[in-house]
Amino acid sequence: SSQNLSEEFAEAARQLKKEAPRIQFGKIDVTHQHDLRKDFNIQAFPTVKFFVNGSRENPIDCKGVRKASAFITWVKRRTGPSTVLINSTDQAEAMIKAGDLAVIGFFRELHNGSVEVFCETARDVPEMPFGMTASEDVCANYGVQRNSLVVFKEGKPVHNEVLEDGRQSKLGLTRLIKTFTLDLVTEYNIETSVKIFDVPVENHILLFTPMNSETFNEIYENYQSAAALFRGKILFVLVDTDEARNGRIFEYFRIRDIDVPAVRILNLTSEARYKMPADEVTVENLKEFCQSYLNGKAKQHLPSEEIPQDWDKMPVKVLVGKNFNSIIF
């Protein structure tokens, strides 16, 4: 909530006052400051912007940061080095074991395009420690190919991404790394919904199924296997249809009891919805559905009543989902 974020923001300000007094924190109620709201094009609340070197031009947006510790790290990485330089295996081990997650870049040299993208990504993911190394010993110790990014979870490497030729963009890496703050498949509920929308992946796939059904384990295993193939591109979400509190999300997708198990893809930006053509939730069907969606070949799903026969007989026409686009646009 805005209240929580405001408190965390204030806590970050208190802590940084001692450590970095030149970084000033301010709060504005834009309901009374219409000109400022217009000047900085404030659309959503709360919005956090970082102004650098006394200039009001091009402030940096601070998005998806919710905890005081992450605010502090975000600001520090904007005003100083964004990653820790690792020179020994002991140093690397200390970082890997310090928390749940750690990201380490293994490089041939510390000055190239891949390093730049890695450091820029670190600025946007303050929830995790980032380290980088060009030490032969450290690379050999983990058996990692140079110019690779490795995500460690609970002390073990869980993902290795080759950074050769600068193929990855900062946004692509940010999306990929932030997905590790969630499980491969995230069950939708009040607590996780905030986390789900904090990860900057605009494509979400949702499996609607009762979790207490006999076939659930098999379906869930297939869903997890597919999730591993599309990590960073599509976020896999599970919706328990036995949970009454999920009623609103069923309504939004027009899911009925007789439809389940059902699989839908939602694009958060356009709010376009897509229905998996196959009924069975197999790895192959999921893979085909996700791939056709990413290739732009999936057909949009318009949950709709049938078009009434006399829809255009009267001066006021009757529109339903199936004829809305063709008539209006």
Side-chain angles (χ1 to χ4, degrees):
S1 71
S2 292
Q3 184 60 39
N4 284 352
L5 195 76
S6 194
E7 284 165 15
E8 294 288 336
F9 187 70
E11 180 54 35
R14 272 195 292 278
Q15 290 186 37
L16 275 171
K17 197 171 184 182
K18 299 168 198 149
E19 282 184 64
R22 65 195 189 89
I23 299 168
Q24 305 285 313
F25 279 70
K27 194 161 68 169
I28 296 166
D29 180 354
V30 288
T31 48
H32 306 299
Q33 303 283 345
H34 298 294
D35 291 350
L36 277 177
R37 183 178 176 177
K38 205 169 157 191
D39 274 2
F40 295 112
N41 191 24
I42 307 296
Q43 306 277 349
F45 303 102
T47 291
V48 178
K49 288 183 181 283
F50 186 44
F51 295 85
V52 185
N53 296 334
S55 167
R56 73 198 306 280
E57 299 302 312
N58 304 320
I60 304 159
D61 280 321
C62 178
K63 289 178 181 167
V65 177
R66 294 180 180 273
K67 293 266 176 269
S69 56
F71 271 122
I72 291 166
T73 305
W74 190 90
V75 170
K76 282 182 173 175
R77 288 183 187 177
R78 293 274 163 194
T79 53
S82 61
T83 61
V84 174
L85 186 57
I86 292 171
N87 294 312
S88 70
T89 303
D90 286 352
Q91 246 184 311
E93 279 299 295
M95 177 178 280
I96 291 162
K97 288 176 177 165
D100 276 353
L101 288 156
V103 182
I104 297 181
F106 297 85
F107 298 103
R108 284 193 199 92
E109 49 175 357
L110 292 178
H111 301 286
N112 63 32
S114 298
V115 174
E116 237 169 84
V117 173
F118 181 78
C119 291
E120 280 175 17
T121 304
R123 287 192 187 106
D124 281 352
V125 190
E127 305 91 333
M128 292 185 213
F130 274 67
M132 64 179 184
T133 187
S135 155
E136 279 183 39
D137 291 349
V138 178
C139 293
N141 183 69
Y142 294 100
V144 173
Q145 184 187 340
R146 299 293 187 86
N147 274 27
S148 291
L149 171 159
V150 180
V151 180
F152 293 86
K153 193 165 188 171
E154 291 164 4
K156 296 185 184 76
V158 287
H159 186 82
N160 185 325
E161 185 80 9
V162 178
L163 298 176
E164 212 66 85
D165 308 329
R167 275 175 304 189
Q168 289 83 355
S169 66
K170 179 188 80 163
L171 183 58
L173 284 181
T174 303
R175 279 179 179 152
L176 176 73
I177 292 166
K178 280 209 174 201
T179 60
F180 287 94
T181 60
L182 298 171
D183 295 326
L184 253 183
V185 172
T186 306
E187 188 191 337
Y188 181 89
N189 56 42
I190 304 299
E191 291 76 41
T192 61
S193 61
V194 172
K195 283 181 169 184
I196 288 168
F197 292 111
D198 272 350
V199 175
V201 176
E202 66 171 356
N203 309 313
H204 288 193
I205 188 167
L206 301 99
L207 166 63
F208 295 86
T209 188
M211 283 176 70
N212 67 0
S213 73
E214 288 170 23
T215 54
F216 174 73
N217 286 345
E218 189 191 336
I219 286 173
Y220 185 69
E221 244 173 68
N222 293 342
Y223 198 58
Q224 269 201 311
S225 302
L229 301 171
F230 294 96
R231 185 152 220 164
K233 297 187 180 86
I234 302 177
L235 205 62
F236 277 62
V237 178
L238 168 70
V239 184
D240 183 4
T241 55
D242 284 336
E243 174 54 73
R245 285 177 299 182
N246 290 336
R248 280 176 65 193
I249 198 166
F250 309 151
E251 274 172 40
Y252 180 75
F253 284 93
R254 303 266 181 97
I255 302 282
R256 300 161 303 168
D257 288 346
I258 56 165
D259 296 328
V260 300
V263 179
R264 301 283 187 273
I265 285 178
L266 170 68
N267 179 294
L268 294 192
T269 308
S270 65
E271 290 200 19
R273 285 166 262 178
Y274 303 80
K275 176 184 179 181
M276 186 165 82
D279 287 332
E280 280 187 84
V281 185
T282 63
V283 178
E284 206 42 56
N285 287 343
L286 288 163
K287 201 170 143 187
E288 209 170 296
F289 180 39
C290 292
Q291 207 50 66
S292 73
Y293 168 74
L294 292 173
N295 295 344
K297 290 183 177 156
K299 282 200 178 108
Q300 259 197 65
H301 177 56
L302 299 167
S304 167
E305 296 165 51
E306 291 307 316
I307 301 169
Q309 282 186 315
D310 58 352
W311 73 271
D312 65 344
K313 294 276 192 297
M314 305 297 282
V316 175
K317 312 299 179 196
V318 179
L319 298 178
V320 292
K322 285 184 178 176
N323 68 351
F324 187 87
N325 275 357
S326 57
I327 304 305
I328 300 297
F329 301 115

